[in-house]
Amino acid sequence: VPGLSFGHLSRCLILAKELKKSCDSETIFLMRDYPEGILHAESSGCAVRTLIPSLQKSAHDGIVKEHISNIKPDWLVVDLPDDDPNFYLDYARQHCILTVCIDDTAERGYRSEVILNSSILADRNAYGECLPNTRFLIGADYFIMEDYIIKRHQTINGESVSVLITFGGSDLTGLTVKVVCALSKITWKGVNFTLIL
């Protein structure tokens, strides 16, 4: 599948790991049947149920609804929303299942108890109509990242260090250029930078 990557899956795996650690939760991933993605999720110890990748939207929605009905989760987390994830969110709420919508675009309102958008461009006002009690987790403070990356402090001590710089699939604010300009003003002895565009 052109453009398929594991960014959304990886952040949900981090979330699942933190939920397991903090409240001993069990996570079941419902995802399209792409072997590499399934392997990535299962290698992290998560249960996976699959969807046929080429299903029409109406059939896809019905199967997702059936899985929600069979699993009966306490929470439904929707990442990478399709044209209208409100179908799943509404169905879940009708069955007393709390919902989280992880979003990157703020292109529409979501009828969810929690909306998480960690983009630096995220704006609460862009969401339009949502539930009256929706909790918004907006901005970079809510970026989902592995603990070891956040807590890691490394001194150079004369050894060569490699630094990877990437801003993901898009860089709408031109941060790549700003970072390269800032880094180029300093002499970095023993540091090798790799930039992914």
Side-chain angles (χ1 to χ4, degrees), residues 21 26 43 48 53 55 60 65 73-74 84 90 93 97 106 109 137 146-147 151 159 163 194 196-197:
K21 188 166 49 173
E26 176 189 4
S43 68
V48 175
L55 281 179
H60 179 271
K65 181 177 158 183
D74 297 306
D84 186 9
D90 290 343
R93 277 195 347 280
I97 299 167
L137 306 177
E146 289 278 12
D147 270 349
K151 295 176 181 174
E159 294 182 22
V163 177
T194 301
I196 296 179
L197 300 175

Side-chain angles (χ1 to χ4, degrees), residues 1 47-48 69 77 98-100 103 130 144 146 176 180 189 197:
V1 178
V48 175
S69 178
V77 178
L98 299 170
T99 60
V100 176
D103 179 47
C130 295
I144 298 174
E146 289 278 12
T176 304
V180 170
K189 293 183 180 177
L197 300 175

Side-chain angles (χ1 to χ4, degrees), residues 3-14 40 79 104 144:
L4 183 67
S5 67
F6 293 147
H8 293 267
L9 176 56
S10 293
R11 72 181 174 191
C12 286
L13 289 169
I14 294 168
H40 186 47
D79 192 359
D104 297 318
I144 298 174

Side-chain angles (χ1 to χ4, degrees), residues 5-177:
S5 67
F6 293 147
H8 293 267
L9 176 56
S10 293
R11 72 181 174 191
C12 286
L13 289 169
I14 294 168
L15 181 59
K17 183 174 77 174
E18 290 302 313
L19 290 170
K20 176 71 174 168
K21 188 166 49 173
S22 63
C23 49
D24 197 30
S25 69
E26 176 189 4
T27 301
I28 299 171
F29 279 80
L30 180 58
M31 54 196 292
R32 288 193 166 93
D33 192 4
Y34 297 125
E36 295 85 355
I38 303 293
L39 181 62
H40 186 47
E42 289 179 339
S43 68
S44 297
C46 291
V48 175
R49 297 196 184 173
T50 59
L51 298 167
I52 299 167
S54 59
L55 281 179
Q56 295 289 334
K57 178 157 175 50
S58 58
H60 179 271
D61 287 351
I63 291 172
V64 170
K65 181 177 158 183
E66 186 178 312
H67 277 290
I68 293 169
S69 178
N70 291 337
I71 296 169
K72 296 180 179 64
D74 297 306
W75 284 87
L76 173 68
V77 178
V78 178
D79 192 359
L80 192 58
D82 62 7
D83 293 336
D84 186 9
N86 284 315
F87 175 84
Y88 318 128
L89 300 171
D90 290 343
Y91 181 79
R93 277 195 347 280
Q94 290 166 6
H95 292 84
C96 301
I97 299 167
L98 299 170
T99 60
V100 176
C101 186
I102 303 177
D103 179 47
D104 297 318
T105 62
E107 291 177 351
R108 66 184 59 83
Y110 300 108
R111 295 186 293 272
S112 180
E113 278 76 22
V114 178
I115 295 176
L116 186 154
N117 184 335
S118 61
S119 170
I120 61 172
L121 300 175
D123 178 6
R124 157 61 187 104
N125 297 319
Y127 279 99
E129 189 177 330
C130 295
L131 297 176
N133 60 340
T134 295
R135 180 171 181 194
F136 289 89
L137 306 177
I138 301 289
D141 288 344
Y142 298 100
F143 186 76
I144 298 174
M145 184 180 289
E146 289 278 12
D147 270 349
Y148 77 88
I149 295 172
I150 297 168
K151 295 176 181 174
R152 186 173 180 183
H153 177 72
Q154 183 175 359
T155 56
I156 295 174
N157 295 333
E159 294 182 22
S160 180
V161 173
S162 294
V163 177
L164 174 67
I165 302 170
T166 181
F167 291 96
S170 60
D171 182 10
L172 301 176
T173 60
L175 286 175
T176 304
V177 172

